[in-house]
Amino acid sequence: MFEIRLHGFLLWASMGFLMPVGILAIRMSNRQECGTRLKILFYVHILSLLISTAGAVMSVKNFNNSFNNHHQRLGLALYGIIWLQALTGVLRPCRGSKGRSGWFFAHWLLGTAISILGIINIYTGLRAYHERTSRSIKPWTIVLTAEISLIAFVYLFQDKWLYIQKQGLILGDESVTPKPQHSSSTEKQNESSSEKC
């Protein structure tokens, strides 16, 4: 029973927390060329890879691997995709090189697939845990759903943050109201006559 819980915790930490948070952090720091923050993000990626590998080793070593349920089959596929993603990260072309855009798309696609399939596999793992132990998984399902919803909200909000700043609504810590544009009296008359239409 301890091994099952540890396996679940390790893979939640990797697939359900570190990978999605790593994606959010990388999206927030995509304007930086180098520095300490990027090194930390790289190490978070490596830590996530190592934790998921530890969970995979545990499952192979300690559990019945008949692959007769969705959780085991999806988990096996995920372990392969995770290491393929690590390989693409190692083989990353330099910025500005010819193959960089193709590499970026492949790395993004694999990362997105890992995140989505990993979260799905956490839910199927909770279900398998319930079937094996008859214990309630409702609190864990609620907590996981709330966490994923928060991460999805932040992910979607990141796309709109720059737009909101450009609109003059939020600029740093100060609220700013848009200033009216000055125009000549003939332009004002033309605008006022066109507004009546």
Side-chain angles (χ1 to χ4, degrees):
M1 205 53 147
F2 172 75
E3 287 89 5
I4 292 173
R5 289 184 186 144
L6 182 59
H7 169 80
F9 175 77
L10 289 174
L11 290 166
W12 164 81
S14 174
M15 302 274 187
F17 184 72
L18 288 174
M19 285 186 192
V21 169
I23 290 170
L24 292 177
I26 284 175
R27 284 181 55 141
M28 289 179 2
S29 67
N30 65 357
R31 292 175 191 81
Q32 294 185 2
E33 292 295 322
C34 61
T36 306
R37 181 184 267 178
L38 291 179
K39 288 179 184 176
I40 291 170
L41 293 174
F42 174 75
Y43 291 126
V44 166
H45 267 60
I46 298 299
L47 178 64
S48 179
L49 176 68
L50 293 175
I51 290 173
S52 64
T53 301
V57 168
M58 277 188 66
S59 66
V60 168
K61 187 176 177 184
N62 297 324
F63 305 138
N64 174 16
N65 291 309
S66 59
F67 300 103
N68 60 355
N69 65 38
H70 295 296
H71 179 69
Q72 290 175 342
R73 288 188 293 260
L74 186 56
L76 181 64
L78 270 167
Y79 299 139
I81 295 171
I82 287 170
W83 279 99
L84 179 62
Q85 175 75 329
L87 181 64
T88 63
V90 169
L91 300 176
R92 178 184 69 221
C94 296
R95 289 183 190 260
S97 68
K98 188 175 181 180
R100 179 70 179 213
S101 61
W103 169 86
F104 180 82
F105 180 73
H107 194 69
W108 172 83
L109 189 63
L110 283 172
T112 302
I114 289 168
S115 293
I116 292 169
L117 294 174
I119 290 166
I120 291 169
N121 210 34
I122 293 171
Y123 282 111
T124 62
L126 286 170
R127 185 73 189 149
Y129 176 77
H130 172 71
E131 289 171 1
R132 189 168 187 168
T133 64
S134 298
R135 293 188 180 184
S136 175
I137 58 169
K138 189 174 183 177
W140 297 113
T141 304
I142 291 170
V143 168
L144 179 63
T145 303
E147 174 202 348
I148 298 306
S149 298
L150 178 64
I151 289 171
F153 173 78
V154 172
Y155 183 86
L156 294 171
F157 186 72
Q158 284 178 332
D159 285 339
K160 297 299 177 191
W161 180 248
L162 188 59
Y163 176 78
I164 291 170
Q165 286 180 323
K166 286 181 179 179
Q167 296 304 309
L169 298 176
I170 300 172
L171 185 61
D173 293 330
E174 303 173 7
S175 286
V176 178
T177 55
K179 295 179 182 176
Q181 296 179 353
H182 298 290
S183 57
S184 68
S185 60
T186 55
E187 288 176 350
K188 286 182 183 178
Q189 289 174 350
N190 290 341
E191 288 176 4
S192 63
S193 64
S194 66
E195 288 177 358
K196 293 177 185 175
C197 297

